[in-house]
Each structure stands twice: as structure tokens, then as C-alpha cells.
Amino acid sequence: SLLLHPAPPRCTMWCDSTCRLSNPATDSVYVDPTAIAPDSARRDAAALAQDAARRFQEETEQAERCHEEELQRLRAEEEAEEAREREERERLRREQEAAEAARVVAKERLREEVLLAFEQEQRRMEQEQQLKEQEQQREHEEQDRRKEAERREREQMQERERQLQQEAVKCFCQQHGFRTATEPRLRGCSVFGSSVTYPLHQAAELADARIVELLLKEGASPMMKNGSKQTAAQVAQKMNKNGSHDGVLQALKTAATGGA
């Protein structure tokens, strides 16, 4: 008997998943040779069989090429997908590393800013303390200078006043014939008929309370007595008319009681 194979389906340029190879066991067709013409029919049948076999071989090779191309396409897609996944993982890794690096940098920058702010605050407080201490020092120095200036001014004023007092006492003594504030006058006579008197008695007699005070400051004693055995207070009391010598008496009383 003659075994013929039916032609398998043709494969297009781009083979899809429907492409498959013929199975000779299931796709075989048996032809009864008695039904075919003797010679020419056999030759034609042989030519047809050869042509069918050739076409089958070509289409089988084409189908195999399509299958191989499909496999290569699938492998390429898988490799491309794997490459994309690797790139995505790498991108995510880089992003995570960049985010972590940024977080570390931000944390370090924040720490530095906090430290800088603390140091600036410390410096500000130290400067304020220094300024405060300097201001206090200036105030103390100013107070010391002011006190010193006041002390000097008081001393100068006291010295000027002392000089003026001494000059007033000197003028008084010269005017009335005394050499000093404590020495007696030995010549002439007084209203009491005595030739001995003192500047303090003379001032008391004249009711000059200011000169009495100055003579007391220059060392004249309120207890000294003149040639008539009288103190300056006794002289003033005798001369006192309608309070004319009250100022002198008060000055002498104050001096006699120690300023009480």
C-alpha cells in the first residue's frame, strides 16, 4: 500500500501559538493501489507524494523556525522583564540610599544648627554678662570718681573757707591790735579799765558772733579771762541790751558745753 501524508497547516510570517507539527501516526491516509491507474497514475501519485513530502518538510522547518523564534521572543521578553526588574530594584536601592543619606545629612545639619544656636546663645549670654560687668565697673568707677571729686571739692571748699576764716580772724586781730587769735593785747585800756584783754573778749564786746565762732575754731578758749577776771561770756552778758549779744552768748555757750 502507498502511505500519503496530508499537508500540515501553512505557517505565516509571524507564527503564533496555534502552529504545530503534523503527526504521521494520526494524520496518515491509506490509498488502495487498485483504485489508481497503473503507471502514469503511480508516477503522478509518487510526484504528488514527493511534492507533499517536500512541502511538509518545508512547512515543518518553517514551523520549527517559527517555534524557535517564538521561544527566542519569549526568552528576550523574559530577559527584558528581568532587566527591568533589576533596574527597578537598583533604582529603589539607590533611592533608599539617597533618602538615607539625605536623612543622615539633615540630622547632622540639624545637630550642627542646634549646636551653633547653643554656642551663639552662650556667646550672647557671656557678652551680656561682660557688658553688665563692664557697666557695673564703669558705674563703680564713676561713683568712685564722683565721690573723690566731691571729697576734693569739699576739701577745697573747706580749705577756702578755712583760709577765709583765717583771713577774717587775721584782719580782726590786726584791726584791734592783736597778734594772734589767742594772744592778749597788753597795751591801752578797755571799758573795764583793764589793760589785758583777748580777741575773743573783744569780739564778744562788739557782739560779733561770726568772729567769736572763728576765734573759737582757731583755738581761743571760752574759759579765758581778761584783766578784769571776766570770761568772754561775762563780757557779752554785761553788754547785752535787748538781745544785742544773744548770738555771741549762744556761740560761747555751745563752745563751753562741747558743742551739745
Side-chain angles (χ1 to χ4, degrees):
S1 64
L2 180 62
L3 179 61
L4 298 178
H5 297 284
R10 293 181 178 274
C11 184
T12 61
M13 183 64 180
W14 302 102
C15 184
D16 56 18
S17 60
T18 59
C19 291
R20 62 183 180 84
L21 300 177
S22 298
N23 189 342
T26 59
D27 296 339
S28 298
V29 177
Y30 294 92
V31 180
D32 187 0
T34 60
I36 301 175
D39 293 328
S40 61
R42 283 195 298 271
R43 285 193 299 272
D44 293 339
L48 290 172
Q50 290 177 356
D51 186 58
R54 181 181 56 77
R55 287 196 305 272
F56 176 76
Q57 181 65 28
E58 292 176 354
E59 291 177 357
T60 299
E61 293 175 355
Q62 182 66 23
E64 289 177 351
R65 284 194 299 273
C66 288
H67 182 66
E68 183 62 26
E69 291 175 357
E70 180 66 15
L71 292 177
Q72 292 177 356
R73 184 184 66 80
L74 292 175
R75 283 194 297 269
E77 290 180 354
E78 290 178 357
E79 292 175 355
E81 182 64 22
E82 290 177 355
R84 283 193 299 272
E85 290 178 354
R86 286 194 302 272
E87 290 177 358
E88 181 65 15
R89 288 193 299 270
E90 181 65 18
R91 184 185 65 80
L92 293 175
R93 184 187 64 79
R94 289 195 300 268
E95 289 181 354
Q96 290 176 353
E97 291 179 351
E100 179 64 18
R103 186 187 66 81
V104 172
V105 171
K107 183 178 180 181
E108 181 64 19
R109 183 182 298 113
L110 179 60
R111 188 188 68 82
E112 292 176 353
E113 291 176 353
V114 171
L115 181 59
L116 178 61
F118 176 77
E119 292 176 350
Q120 290 176 345
E121 181 64 16
Q122 286 289 101
R123 286 195 296 271
R124 185 189 65 79
M125 293 177 63
E126 291 176 357
Q127 291 174 353
E128 288 183 354
Q129 183 64 25
Q130 290 177 355
L131 291 175
K132 184 177 179 180
E133 292 176 355
Q134 292 174 359
E135 182 64 23
Q136 291 177 347
Q137 181 66 23
R138 284 195 296 270
E139 291 178 357
H140 292 160
E141 292 176 354
E142 181 63 25
Q143 289 178 357
D144 293 341
R145 285 194 297 269
R146 187 165 54 250
K147 290 179 179 178
E148 179 64 18
E150 292 174 354
R151 184 188 64 79
R152 291 180 179 179
E153 185 177 0
R154 285 194 303 269
E155 290 179 351
Q156 291 174 357
M157 291 179 63
Q158 291 172 356
E159 179 63 21
R160 286 196 298 269
E161 186 175 356
R162 187 182 65 81
Q163 291 175 356
L164 290 174
Q165 291 173 356
Q166 289 178 345
E167 185 66 25
V169 169
K170 182 179 180 180
C171 289
F172 176 82
C173 291
Q174 289 177 351
Q175 182 180 358
H176 294 281
F178 298 100
R179 295 181 58 187
T180 66
T182 58
E183 292 183 11
R185 186 180 60 197
L186 301 178
R187 66 181 182 273
C189 63
S190 68
V191 293
F192 300 106
S194 174
S195 61
V196 177
T197 189
Y198 291 90
L200 186 61
H201 293 73
Q202 185 69 48
E205 180 181 347
L206 298 174
D208 194 339
R210 176 174 175 272
I211 293 298
V212 169
E213 291 177 353
L214 295 179
L215 289 169
L216 291 170
K217 289 180 179 180
E218 290 298 319
S221 173
M223 304 309 295
M224 288 188 305
K225 295 181 179 182
N226 59 10
S228 300
K229 306 301 180 181
Q230 292 178 330
T231 64
Q234 290 173 334
V235 173
Q237 184 66 42
K238 185 175 182 179
M239 299 293 295
N240 188 22
K241 304 295 182 182
N242 299 321
S244 60
H245 289 63
D246 286 350
V248 171
L249 291 171
Q250 182 62 43
L252 292 170
K253 181 180 179 181
T254 301
T257 56

